[in-house]
Amino acid sequence: MDAYWESFTPGEGRRRPRADALSDARRITLNGRWRFRLSPTAAGTGPAFVRAGFDDSRWDEITVPAHWVLEPVTPLAGGPARSLRGTGEGPVYTNTALPVPLDPPLVPTENPTGDYRLVFRVPDDWGAAVLRFQGIDSCAKVWLNGEPLGFSTGSRLPVEFDAPVVPGENVLAVRVHRWSSGTYLEDQDMWWLPGIFRDVEVIERPDGAIDDHFVHADFDHETGLGTLRVEASEPAVVEIPELGVRMAAGQSATVPVEPWSAESPRLYDGTLTGAGETVELRIGFRTVAVVDGTLTVNGRRVLLRGVNRHEHDPDSGRALDHQTMVRDIVLMKQHNINAVRTSHYPPHPDFLRLCDDYGLWVVVECDLETHGFIYAGWEGNPPADTRWLPAMLDRTRRMVERDKNRPSVIIWSLANESWVGENFDALESWVRDRDPSRPIHYERDPSYRNSDFYSLMYPAQELLEQIGRREEPRPEGVSDEEDSRRRTLPFLLCEYAHAMGNGPGSLVDYQRILESSDRFCGAFVWEWIDHGFRHRAGDGEYFMHGGDVAYAPNGGRYCLDGLLFPDRTPSPGLHELKKAIEPVAIEIDTTVSIRNRHDVRGLDHLAFRWRLEVDGERREEGDLPVPPVPPGESAEVPLPARPGGEPGEWWLTVEARLVGDTPWAPAGHVVAWGQGLLADGAPRSRPPRATTPARQADDGLIALGDARFDPVSGGLVRLGSVKVDGPVLDLGRAPIENDRGQGGVNDLASVWRAVGLDRLRHRTDLVEPDGDVLRVAGRAAASAHPHALAYRFDWCHDDGGLRVDVSVDFTGPWADTPHRHLEIVPPRLGLRMSLPAAYARARWFGRGPGESYVDSCAAARVGRYDATVEELQVGYPVPQENGNRLDIRWLELSGPGVPLLRVDGSPTFGFAARRWTSEELGRARHRHELVDSGRLWLNVDHAQQGLGSAACGPALPERYRVPRTSTTWSVRLSLH
Ligand code: GAL
């Protein structure tokens, strides 16, 4: 058997790659239900299935497009539908590791192979036709009416064959191999998902059909003129009625136009008409250029505020429907994102059409990553081996040819994480020759010789600052010449802010740096969406990650690192990103300062509203007139209101809202906002409550007013009628992904576990009534360890409540523990208590409504909020610390049959309330494993460390850690 699937040749019998186009050519979609049979080796079901008369009545049925590993396969012969999901034969996830032995271009004999059959009808009057597959993973051979048409690799790229269809019935047979030589070039960090997963069509090609066309639509920002030239493979006429253009293909016209940009995606509709076909044109005029080390479009610097987007759906994998693509774009636009890197392959072509329509700058990346060769020390890496050049070039051509007419596409990215090699020179020169209008990106080669951008992933803020000042150190192993050239390039941060689990932190910090220098042209958060699959197994439904499949090698939870949860629920990280990158910066001090951070737009599409609140209660509101502010400029507007005489915190909030409806959000949608504290008058005090000295009560407890304490542990056991357990000191949290670091680096969580921060023992040394004060002192420490927290709780009545003044002192070897020499940085310093389960609601004044942490709190405004305990939780697919609220002045907990319990902070505090302990949260592997403990667990924090993004990236900056210094704070509890 000719082992085409493991050859260096990327394909045979295919048509030349060409532009993706909509036209009036007749087409028949072949999407739908196909006959299917899965076999264990590349031999599939054998040679017979290609024949017209083959009996497939006992085969299964499957949907096309789909991945067979996700789709239930329905046996036609009866019996239940089979699903491979959750098995090693199903979807498997690896990060850098290849799922096949490193033996290029060969793959194991065990090579799941799906044979697909479809009978379709073609009208009698059809002429020539082509058969188009938009994506088959990973290698397919195709037969029509028993005759082989060819084969192809390159999963996320289209392939077309001339299709000698016959009038009436035609039989299409496709054999798809899970592993192929292509596997070596597709080692992206993602699930391996075989199958025909994008659309299949037959398209008529009458005489004079336009095979290919190339739109050149430049914009001269100095004259305001656009120049249009459309090249076509056949004689054809270009018509753009709105511009009064009618000319032959190949000619050019220069006319006044409005340019295309992500902010103003102006498109001109037209047609390209040849003898046999009319192709739709949607023209966006724009010119991309790197000028003096700055990326410009239409003569203006642009700053890409982007995300890396994989195609993912929790049910169908990379087979996305149109609505899901629209949903992604709408969510991006609503969250102020203006750019997408299509990591790490060209997306479904419709996605790019939508980017043209809605307005997003796009970096299209080729379907090329050879990361797995790292396990051979990059020995045999395809970019450095000329035998792979045809396959690499084939992928590059198919990308550029398909997407060359999309105005949204402004940069081509040659590959991801494929190290270095001369084949890249050939790719670069081919792209430069074919499409000189777009710059090229490639991150991994430290010489950047094929790239128009200097680019990195996950640098620390300090390095990024150096890059902004053009003072970065020189990468190793590059020549003087390469280094000097690199220093002239704009910098593109292709991945940062790894959004795995709870996080990322520091989005505002990164944005501040990115806006500080013209050298920066943009940044892309890693990544848009968690790749988790909805899965039902014995004990419940959850989102499956790599580690839920028994398969090795395994990338585990690393596929859950997006700003959206797998079902596209925005995470708190996305809200924070929206705030960090908002296109209007509103700062309130003695004036309202408004800075227009748009690249090209003024602010006339926005209306400004203000609101004045005291302690979170609205007092006044109105419209804020703002003068015209050109992009890049600022205006100062007088404060629209002044604080009144009432005591309390007077906050002014100004919002910029859409004036009219847009395709991605209705009028009124808040694009940006700012808040400022105008006055901070003393809080209203409560009437003093009569206090009695601390005393021994009849029930053996110590009484302090209506509070009761255990005489041995000193713990509060009751406040009025409310049974309380605690508070005790709490230093631990359920580790977030970033607490675990990466590959043993920055693995704080294992230090916490090793030194027992999650299992503190409390020893009480003193319980002493002293007049109106009950003094409790003790030591909190983990078994087996010498480091400890010496503490003192002084309880007294104050301002109508029960106040505890806490003082703590870190004693013992926290900085250098014996035996292990570990630096222990506790993630939290605060109090924890449990309350009756009836407490079900929280009201608070502080940051909200969503969760907030010290390095991720810009999106949380100071105000008054209300939520149920359930609503306080954030459903990270892998349970971890979540739901913290920061800068809380007061918190009120309430519920049926229990008095309102109020917590006042001095200073402010952070809180989290949940129905399980942090330890239970840390132990659960999936959300459905979290069960109500029958108590409400309340954390009242003095401090908690930030989130960071150390799951892939730098360590959490020092300033976001909990300082290990002696400290004091107070909290007051009261019943109402
Ligand atoms: C990058 C890579 C991404 C992803 C990320 C970590 O190195 O390009 O594909 O693996 O790290 O999640």
Side-chain angles (χ1 to χ4, degrees), residues 357-372:
D357 290 348
Y358 284 80
L360 284 168
W361 306 112
V362 184
V363 178
V364 171
E365 188 153 85
C366 197
D367 192 358
L368 180 54
E369 174 162 345
T370 65
H371 214 147

Side-chain angles (χ1 to χ4, degrees), residues 93 95 188-189 310 341 344 369 371 416-417 444 457-458 495 498 526-527 558 561 742 952:
Y93 166 60
N95 174 358
Q188 294 95 336
D189 172 4
H310 266 284
R341 172 176 176 237
H344 297 301
E369 174 162 345
H371 214 147
N416 186 56
E417 298 188 314
R444 198 41 61 107
M457 295 179 181
Y458 310 108
E495 294 180 26
H498 195 250
W526 187 266
E527 65 174 310
Y558 221 55
D561 54 1
Q742 186 184 19
C952 180

Side-chain angles (χ1 to χ4, degrees), residues 650-911:
W650 287 83
W651 284 88
L652 180 70
T653 305
V654 174
E655 290 180 346
R657 304 176 181 177
L658 288 178
V659 173
D661 292 343
T662 65
W664 48 271
H669 167 84
V670 176
V671 167
W673 58 274
Q675 241 189 350
L677 180 61
L678 301 188
D680 185 5
R684 282 160 282 195
S685 61
R686 269 165 290 275
R689 195 197 271 195
T691 62
T692 43
R695 63 183 167 85
Q696 200 73 41
D698 300 341
D699 50 10
L701 299 172
I702 296 176
L704 188 63
D706 58 358
R708 294 290 179 277
F709 294 84
D710 184 291
V712 178
S713 70
L716 176 66
V717 292
R718 219 167 62 223
L719 180 60
S721 59
V722 180
K723 200 173 161 301
V724 183
D725 192 356
V728 292
L729 284 174
D730 195 359
L731 296 182
R733 73 175 179 190
I736 63 169
E737 299 290 3
N738 296 317
D739 294 335
R740 302 180 199 280
Q742 186 184 19
V745 179
N746 298 322
D747 185 357
L748 305 178
S750 74
V751 178
W752 303 337
R753 205 172 41 249
V755 303
L757 291 194
D758 55 346
R759 49 181 173 82
L760 292 188
R761 314 289 299 261
H762 301 268
R763 197 176 71 113
T764 308
D765 296 322
L766 174 86
V767 183
E768 189 179 78
D770 179 3
D772 284 355
V773 179
L774 173 67
R775 298 192 196 285
V776 179
R779 187 176 185 276
S783 298
H785 292 282
H787 54 277
L789 211 54
Y791 64 85
R792 189 172 168 133
F793 290 175
D794 285 349
W795 294 92
C796 67
H797 277 287
D798 169 54
D799 199 14
L802 177 69
R803 190 180 83 207
V804 58
D805 298 327
V806 182
S807 57
V808 297
D809 201 2
F810 289 80
T811 65
W814 286 83
D816 185 10
T817 56
H819 313 302
R820 291 179 182 265
H821 303 292
L822 297 172
E823 167 92 9
I824 314 166
V825 185
R828 152 181 272 147
L829 178 58
L831 303 175
R832 171 211 326 223
M833 62 195 100
S834 87
L835 299 167
Y839 283 104
R841 270 204 105 78
R843 268 184 88 228
W844 69 95
F845 176 43
R847 284 191 193 269
E851 68 174 26
S852 48
Y853 292 83
V854 277
D855 59 348
S856 183
C857 59
R861 310 178 186 196
V862 175
R864 243 180 227 217
Y865 302 98
D866 191 336
T868 63
V869 168
E870 281 61 44
E871 288 163 351
L872 290 173
Q873 317 306 313
V874 180
Y876 294 101
V878 175
Q880 53 197 287
E881 160 63 34
N882 71 83
N884 188 63
R885 266 62 181 188
L886 217 58
D887 296 337
I888 306 304
R889 284 67 166 170
W890 53 257
L891 161 72
E892 290 175 351
L893 295 172
S894 61
V898 281
L900 188 145
L901 173 68
R902 177 168 164 129
V903 184
D904 284 87
S906 169
T908 56
F909 60 94
F911 89 91

Side-chain angles (χ1 to χ4, degrees), residues 92-255:
V92 296
Y93 166 60
T94 65
N95 174 358
T96 53
L98 278 163
V100 296
L102 255 175
D103 183 21
L106 308 181
V107 294
T109 303
E110 215 173 73
N111 186 0
T113 291
D115 285 348
Y116 290 76
R117 289 187 96 246
L118 180 76
V119 178
F120 64 94
R121 294 192 66 83
V122 168
D124 292 349
D125 60 344
W126 267 45
V130 301
L131 177 63
R132 176 162 72 198
F133 296 88
Q134 292 284 15
I136 306 178
D137 191 330
S138 84
C139 173
K141 182 159 179 174
V142 181
W143 293 261
L144 183 67
N145 300 323
E147 292 304 317
L149 300 186
F151 82 92
S152 189
T153 52
S155 301
R156 271 71 55 173
L157 289 160
V159 53
E160 287 184 333
F161 298 97
D162 284 316
V165 287
V166 294
E169 266 189 14
N170 288 265
V171 179
L172 180 59
V174 186
R175 174 161 288 160
V176 180
H177 307 290
R178 186 166 193 177
W179 314 124
S180 70
S181 57
T183 303
Y184 289 95
L185 304 180
E186 296 175 4
D187 191 23
Q188 294 95 336
D189 172 4
M190 61 190 193
W191 292 88
W192 297 91
L193 301 174
I196 305 176
F197 74 100
R198 286 186 187 158
D199 310 296
V200 187
E201 284 169 306
V202 204
I203 309 161
E204 196 188 6
R205 302 279 74 203
D207 287 345
I210 298 170
D211 231 24
D212 196 10
H213 73 288
F214 197 164
V215 174
H216 306 276
D218 299 330
F219 179 74
D220 182 335
H221 64 276
E222 278 170 2
T223 59
L225 299 175
T227 298
L228 177 66
R229 185 168 59 85
V230 182
E231 291 174 57
S233 54
E234 327 298 318
V237 174
V238 177
E239 280 181 283
I240 315 290
E242 201 187 336
L243 294 174
V245 169
R246 189 187 150 84
M247 64 186 175
Q251 292 187 337
S252 68
T254 299
V255 281

Side-chain angles (χ1 to χ4, degrees), residues 4-139:
Y4 56 87
W5 63 92
E6 43 189 9
S7 119
F8 285 107
T9 307
E12 261 171 27
R14 302 170 304 170
R15 301 187 89 232
R16 278 168 63 95
R18 62 186 185 118
D20 183 76
L22 300 177
S23 82
D24 64 350
R26 286 187 290 182
R27 56 186 67 206
I28 303 169
T29 175
L30 302 187
N31 292 352
R33 299 290 282 170
W34 292 41
R35 297 287 156 99
F36 180 74
R37 181 47 58 99
L38 188 60
S39 307
T41 73
T45 56
F49 90 116
V50 308
R51 286 190 217 118
F54 179 80
D55 178 10
D56 60 14
S57 61
R58 301 193 65 77
W59 278 29
D60 306 318
E61 258 201 343
I62 197 169
T63 294
V64 167
H67 303 281
W68 77 65
V69 289
L70 291 173
E71 195 64 12
V73 173
T74 313
L76 288 171
R82 260 185 315 130
S83 168
L84 298 174
R85 197 181 286 216
T87 73
E89 290 298 299
V92 296
Y93 166 60
T94 65
N95 174 358
T96 53
L98 278 163
V100 296
L102 255 175
D103 183 21
L106 308 181
V107 294
T109 303
E110 215 173 73
N111 186 0
T113 291
D115 285 348
Y116 290 76
R117 289 187 96 246
L118 180 76
V119 178
F120 64 94
R121 294 192 66 83
V122 168
D124 292 349
D125 60 344
W126 267 45
V130 301
L131 177 63
R132 176 162 72 198
F133 296 88
Q134 292 284 15
I136 306 178
D137 191 330
S138 84
C139 173

